[in-house]
Each structure stands twice: as C-alpha cells, then as structure tokens.
Amino acid sequence: MKTFYRITQYVFKTYILLLTIFVISCGSRNSGSGYKSTSVSYYANKFDGKKTASGETYRHSKMTGAHKSLSFGTRVEIVNVENDKSVIITVNDRGPLKPSREFDLSQGAFKKIANLNAGIIKVKYRILK
C-alpha cells in the first residue's frame, strides 16, 4: 500500500510540474508585445508622382510604405525606438531593396516619427490588419 501511495504521489508531482512548465511557456509566447525590430528609410524625391507596385500614385504626404511581401492594404504600426513616436502606414508598394530593412516609408510617414535628415532609423513594428 505504501508503494502505491508513493507512486501516486510521484505521478501527481510530475503532472503538476509538467503542467506548470506548460502554462509558463504558453504564457511567455502570448504575453510578448508583438513587435519586431528593423531599420527603415524613406522614398527619395524622384518617386513622388510615380506609380507604386499596387498601381496607386506615390505621394510624399500619404501615410504609406513599401514591404517585400505583405499584402497591399496591410496596415502596420511603426514606432521609432529612440523617441517612441509612432505612425500607422498602409502597404502599397514593394521594397526595400536593402535586405537589412523591412520597410521604406513615405516622407510624410517618416516625418511623423523622425527628422528626414536621420535618413535611416531603428524602429519596432507590428502588423495591425
């Protein structure tokens, strides 16, 4: 009888330990901020008025951006990590060509979070829809 009791106690403690580990691991995956980090730049002046890959006309003043693979129309929050300023853009073009960057922003969107003189900034971003 004592052996059965010890085995049952061991199984129960093992079950509780595994359950605790499972709950903690699931919680840590879901409790993240959902943000990813990258660098961004902005479109040069020569692109103003030209067609984007989606067919829209690029305008510096619009809150738009380019991404390599996100669907056109996807909304993305971009946050400058140095000053915490944010902007929401809509993807309407393909790019950037630099592998180290995830987005090229319109000048209007870039100006909302940084000075154009910065050229390239570090940001965090999350896909909204």
Side-chain angles (χ1 to χ4, degrees):
M1 187 70 160
K2 283 186 177 181
T3 306
F4 176 74
Y5 178 72
R6 285 183 183 163
I7 292 172
T8 306
Q9 195 175 23
Y10 175 77
V11 169
F12 180 73
K13 286 179 181 178
T14 304
Y15 173 76
I16 294 299
L17 176 66
L18 292 173
L19 182 63
T20 303
I21 291 169
F22 175 76
V23 168
I24 289 171
S25 68
C26 287
S28 64
R29 267 187 269 151
N30 294 330
S31 66
S33 64
Y35 286 94
K36 296 179 183 176
S37 297
T38 190
S39 296
V40 298
S41 58
Y42 60 88
Y43 282 81
N45 287 329
K46 68 181 180 180
F47 294 107
D48 197 40
K50 303 274 173 107
K51 293 282 185 193
T52 63
S54 68
E56 294 179 34
T57 302
Y58 169 73
R59 296 285 178 223
H60 286 320
S61 60
K62 302 280 184 165
M63 299 300 119
T64 59
H67 187 270
K68 294 174 185 89
S69 61
L70 288 175
S71 299
F72 296 136
T74 300
R75 293 171 41 105
V76 182
E77 180 186 25
I78 310 277
V79 181
N80 183 334
V81 296
E82 287 189 13
N83 62 19
D84 245 7
K85 291 183 180 180
S86 67
V87 66
I88 295 175
I89 64 156
T90 303
V91 175
N92 72 341
D93 203 4
R94 292 292 172 230
L97 298 177
K98 290 277 191 179
S100 61
R101 297 185 207 140
E102 289 291 319
F103 296 93
D104 275 337
L105 304 181
S106 66
Q107 286 189 20
F110 195 94
K111 283 182 193 178
K112 292 259 186 200
I113 60 174
N115 187 310
L116 288 181
N117 292 332
I120 300 168
I121 58 169
K122 292 183 188 284
V123 299
K124 60 183 181 178
Y125 71 94
R126 68 184 173 118
I127 298 167
L128 301 175
K129 206 171 191 186

